[in-house]
């Protein structure tokens, strides 16, 4: 549905219409009487004359009033369209969606048939919008909406309830097969890249689901709960979905607390970096260290990166935090052995910021780190958001002599064609494959395939999360020589003596390996 236009009759116009028709009919009445009765007018009784004029005026006012009420209708229609429908997509706007949830709630209470509210959010839409510009952002929302409509059954009610957030009301009857398979299919379809006029845009989604009447019938509560489920899905990774359950409220409070604390923590200097060694099995030599952020809160103690990094990404705090990590890791590098590099994790949001390459260049200049000693770990998600831009950034980094490792490789996208377009130096096999390599033959096959792929592409390979000697042996057999994991050393601080502790690992491992 197209967005509503302004009413053609403004209030001033309407008042003028009524006033002018009143005055006009009075003059016309006088003239008509004079013309019709001629000299007889003088003989007419004043009462009859007033009655005739009054009747004419009433007729004109009735006409004007009709026009006025038509205008009121038009205004009501305009206001309805303005508040009911989202201008950009023509979908129901948030207040209208609340009304539809209320209708669905009263229907489900009568019939007992479950109704689901599915809350679909484009992850980090604000950052995508900032990166690609608002008109491309609008275009993305437009094509997303069309695909969403095509992917849902006719009877589903769809609303746009936030910038990149959509709500779908759907009855149990309308869902083909199980809810789980329907939602997974929907997520897969909606996460296929979108062709915009300037580039191919990938998005990741988080989805929260609430069932009525089971999870409540109050529309505001239902929306809050679907959002809690959504936040829960987002915390557990890319393209995930969650069904609401009652203890999600506490999780939400915790998230809110983290959000409010991040800024203070950054200013107070709560953050630190720990370093985990990366080892070359054939030589027993430590080749590099991965910098991993640590947040020690004065009251709550250690808070894991997976708990606060996604929130920092959503709130934009990842900008200053990420820059701080990069600067600190580059300046810490001087305490590490000359032949070791430092690997820094770069969030997708950071990677796509306008001047990411400039920030890296400035940091290198101010810390004096050699490009060969810096490695950036970037996930597939980061590269897939806007392939063309990612390819340019990767090329610029390669030209500067900085190596990029694809972190958590194998967990993101199944389409590997992007690997050919991108300049990167290393694939980092995700821990999930390594941890199952000794128990699950398909993980072994995946690892061998990734190693083969790295050779075909001419890039290096490393496996992360190695915890047992068996895993290390199998990795080596598969052709992966460089490893990182608790077996060789946990992330440790690089404080007074800390560097030695990390180096100590080197000495110990070298001793163990030979
Ligand atoms: P990642 O980059 O994949 O880092 C590896 C994670 O696996 C680290 O968790 C590390 O402590 C853990 N790990 C290493 N070896 C083993 C092992 O043998 N077994 C097990 N179970 N775990 C192992 P950590 O430090 O909690 O970091 C988690 C994630 O948070 C990182 O995953 C990375 O995505 C993110 N992260 C950490 N530091 C930063 C940072 O400075 N900036 C950004 N943007 N993200 C960061
Ligand atoms: Mg990493
Ligand atoms: Mg990783």
């Amino acid at each position: 549905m197209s967005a509503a236009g302004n009413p053609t009759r403004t209030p001033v116009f309407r008042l003028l219409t009524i006033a002018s028709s009143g005055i006009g009919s009075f003059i016309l009445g006088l003239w008509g009487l004079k013309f019709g009765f001629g000299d007889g007018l003088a003989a007419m009784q004043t009462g009859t004359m007033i009655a005739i004029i009054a009747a004419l005026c009433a007729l004109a006012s009735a006409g004007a009033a009709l026009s006025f009420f038509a205008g009121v209708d038009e205004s009501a229609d305009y206001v309805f369209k303005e508040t009911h429908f989202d201008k950009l997509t023509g979908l129901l706007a948030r207040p209208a969606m609340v009304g539809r949830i209320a209708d669905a709630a009263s229907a489900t209470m009568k019939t007992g048939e479950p109704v689901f509210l599915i809350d679909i959010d484009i992850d980090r839409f604000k950052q995508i919008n900032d990166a690609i510009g608002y008109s491309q952002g609008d275009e993305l929302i437009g094509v997303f909406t069309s695909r969403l409509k095509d992917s849902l059954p006719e009877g589903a009610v769809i609303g746009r309830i936030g910038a990149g957030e959509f709500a779908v009301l759907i009855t149990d009857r309308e869902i083909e097969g199980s809810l789980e398979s329907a939602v997974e299919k929907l997520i897969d379809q909606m996460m296929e890249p979108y062709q915009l006029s300037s580039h191919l845009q990938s998005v990741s989604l988080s989805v929260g689901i609430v069932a009525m009447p089971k999870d409540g019938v109050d529309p505001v509560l239902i929306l809050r709960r679907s959002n809690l489920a959504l936040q829960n899905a987002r915390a557990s990774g890319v393209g995930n979905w969650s069904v609401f359950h009652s203890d999600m409220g506490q999780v939400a409070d915790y998230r809110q607390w983290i959000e409010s604390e991040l800024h203070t923590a950054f200013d107070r200097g709560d953050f630190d970096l720990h370093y985990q060694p990366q080892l070359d099995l054939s030589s027993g030599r430590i080749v590099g260290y991965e910098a991993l952020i640590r947040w020690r809160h004065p009251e709550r103690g250690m808070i894991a990166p997976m708990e606060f990094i996604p929130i920092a990404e959503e709130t934009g705090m990842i900008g200053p935090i990420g820059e701080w990590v990069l600067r600190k890791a580059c300046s810490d590098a001087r305490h590490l052995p000359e032949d070791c590099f430092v690997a820094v994790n770069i969030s997708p949001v950071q990677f796509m910021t306008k001047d990411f390459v400039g920030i890296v260049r400035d940091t290198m200049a101010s810390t004096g780190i050699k490009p060969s000693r810096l490695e950036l770990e970037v996930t597939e998600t980061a590269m897939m958001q806007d392939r063309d831009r990612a390819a340019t950034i990767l090329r610029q980094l390669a030209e500067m002599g900085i190596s990029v490792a694809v972190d958590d490789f194998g967990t993101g996208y199944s389409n590997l064609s992007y690997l050919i377009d991108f300049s990167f130096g290393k694939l980092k096999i995700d821990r999930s494959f390594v941890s199952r390599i000794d128990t699950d033959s398909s993980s072994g096959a995946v690892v061998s395939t990734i190693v083969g792929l790295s050779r075909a592409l001419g890039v290096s390979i490393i496996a992360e999360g190695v915890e047992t000697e068996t895993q290390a042996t199998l990795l080596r057999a598969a052709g992966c020589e460089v490893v990182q994991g608790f077996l060789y050393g946990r992330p440790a601080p690089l404080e007074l003596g800390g560097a030695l502790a990390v180096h100590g690992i080197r000495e110990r491992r070298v001793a163990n390996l030979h």
Side-chain angles (χ1 to χ4, degrees):
M1 183 171 304
S2 64
N6 256 321
T8 45
R9 277 166 276 200
T10 62
V12 176
F13 178 82
R14 278 181 226 140
L15 275 176
L16 281 176
T17 317
I18 296 176
S20 57
S21 44
I23 296 166
S25 49
F26 182 77
I27 295 167
L28 201 71
L30 262 181
W31 178 81
L33 286 175
K34 202 167 167 113
F35 181 77
F37 292 95
D39 292 342
L41 186 64
M44 188 180 285
Q45 282 190 350
T46 320
T48 316
M49 202 158 70
I50 289 172
I52 291 171
I53 293 174
L56 283 171
C57 285
L59 208 67
S61 301
L66 260 176
S67 147
F68 177 80
F69 286 116
V72 168
D73 269 0
E74 199 183 322
S75 292
D77 191 36
Y78 170 70
V79 171
F80 177 80
K81 283 180 180 156
E82 280 288 295
T83 54
H84 255 66
F85 299 107
D86 168 54
K87 279 217 182 75
L88 181 61
T89 58
L91 295 175
L92 291 169
R94 194 179 179 97
M97 202 61 203
V98 174
R100 292 302 195 91
I101 297 169
D103 293 347
S106 65
T108 185
M109 283 192 289
K110 275 189 213 127
T111 62
E113 187 194 4
V115 182
F116 300 99
L117 182 77
I118 307 177
D119 196 340
I120 305 170
D121 197 24
I122 302 179
D123 294 335
R124 298 186 287 268
F125 178 68
K126 188 183 168 305
Q127 279 79 11
I128 295 180
N129 218 8
D130 287 346
I132 67 179
Y134 292 156
S135 69
Q136 296 288 311
D138 284 357
E139 196 185 344
L140 174 64
I141 292 295
V143 284
F144 186 91
T145 302
S146 316
R147 195 185 293 171
L148 186 60
K149 282 184 187 161
D150 294 344
S151 309
L152 290 166
E154 280 275 294
V157 176
I158 317 174
R160 182 174 176 223
I161 56 171
E165 190 177 357
F166 297 78
V168 176
L169 261 179
I170 192 166
T171 58
D172 196 27
R173 193 168 9 107
E174 284 161 332
I175 295 173
E176 250 179 58
S178 70
L179 176 70
E180 288 79 3
S181 61
V183 170
E184 264 162 25
K185 189 169 154 217
L186 179 69
I187 294 177
D188 284 349
Q189 281 170 350
M190 297 307 296
M191 275 181 50
E192 283 291 314
Y194 292 86
Q195 184 62 60
L196 305 185
S197 52
S198 62
H199 68 280
L200 198 64
Q201 177 73 42
S202 292
V203 295
S204 64
L205 302 180
S206 300
V207 172
I209 302 167
V210 182
M212 291 192 286
K214 185 173 77 62
D215 298 323
V217 286
D218 171 4
V220 175
L221 188 74
I222 284 293
L223 269 174
R224 180 169 149 69
R225 293 189 159 171
S226 65
N227 195 263
L228 283 178
L230 187 150
Q231 301 298 346
N232 185 272
R234 174 166 295 142
S236 46
V238 172
N240 262 308
W241 58 278
S242 290
V243 177
F244 171 79
H245 64 81
S246 52
D247 36 299
M248 281 180 181
Q250 289 160 10
V251 178
D253 291 345
Y254 182 56
R255 279 182 66 89
Q256 225 152 37
W257 177 81
I258 287 189
E259 188 175 333
S260 63
E261 250 332 80
L262 266 177
H263 214 285
T264 326
F266 184 64
D267 293 343
R268 194 168 48 203
D270 283 4
F271 295 109
D272 194 11
L273 290 184
H274 282 193
Y275 291 89
Q276 188 179 27
Q278 300 183 346
L279 196 91
D280 177 24
L281 287 177
S282 58
S283 64
R285 197 175 74 79
I286 290 177
V287 289
Y289 292 87
E290 178 175 8
L292 293 156
I293 193 165
R294 295 293 176 258
W295 177 5
R296 188 185 296 279
H297 189 274
E299 283 136 35
R300 297 231 185 174
M302 282 297 211
I303 299 171
M306 291 315 283
E307 286 178 25
F308 67 87
I309 294 281
I311 300 170
E313 287 172 341
E314 276 165 44
T315 56
M317 267 308 282
I318 195 68
I321 293 177
E323 264 187 58
W324 174 84
V325 169
L326 185 65
R327 205 169 341 102
K328 171 127 178 67
C330 288
S331 77
D332 280 353
R334 74 184 101 117
H335 303 298
L336 297 172
E338 254 306 296
D339 55 354
C340 287
F341 60 82
V342 63
V344 180
N345 289 286
I346 302 295
S347 134
V349 177
Q350 224 182 328
F351 186 70
M352 294 312 275
T353 24
K354 280 217 168 65
D355 196 30
F356 175 65
V357 177
I359 291 171
V360 176
R361 198 174 277 125
D362 291 349
T363 311
M364 287 176 62
S366 63
T367 57
I369 189 173
K370 281 196 225 139
S372 58
R373 295 195 66 207
L374 176 61
E375 182 165 281
L376 302 180
E377 291 198 4
V378 185
T379 58
E380 288 168 274
T381 327
M383 301 187 187
M384 298 305 290
Q385 276 183 13
D386 177 347
R387 287 191 195 196
D388 295 343
R389 263 196 74 205
T392 311
I393 295 172
L394 289 171
R395 205 177 42 249
Q396 288 171 325
L397 292 171
E399 279 162 12
M400 287 158 65
I402 296 169
S403 160
V404 169
V406 184
D407 203 355
D408 307 338
F409 186 73
T411 57
Y413 289 82
S414 45
N415 183 351
L416 300 179
S417 63
Y418 76 93
L419 291 173
I420 298 161
D421 306 331
F422 290 159
S423 339
F424 61 90
K426 193 179 279 179
L427 292 179
K428 196 165 187 186
I429 304 173
D430 189 63
R431 180 160 65 89
S432 57
F433 302 115
V434 175
S435 64
R436 284 177 293 154
I437 195 170
D438 40 358
T439 52
D440 164 21
S441 61
S442 63
S443 286
V446 171
V447 169
S448 306
T449 312
I450 299 176
V451 172
L453 188 69
S454 72
R455 290 196 178 139
L457 291 164
V459 297
S460 316
I461 188 99
I462 177 172
E464 66 180 329
V466 184
E467 293 181 351
T468 66
E469 294 286 357
T470 319
Q471 289 167 353
T473 310
L474 290 171
L475 282 166
R476 237 183 142 170
C480 181
E481 296 281 351
V482 185
V483 286
Q484 175 182 348
F486 291 170
L487 182 61
Y488 308 104
R490 289 182 178 255
L494 190 81
E495 291 158 353
L496 230 62
L500 284 179
V502 179
H503 292 184
I505 292 159
R506 162 144 86 165
E507 306 312 328
R508 201 171 65 239
R509 292 315 308 166
V510 171
N512 284 353
L513 283 163
H514 293 284

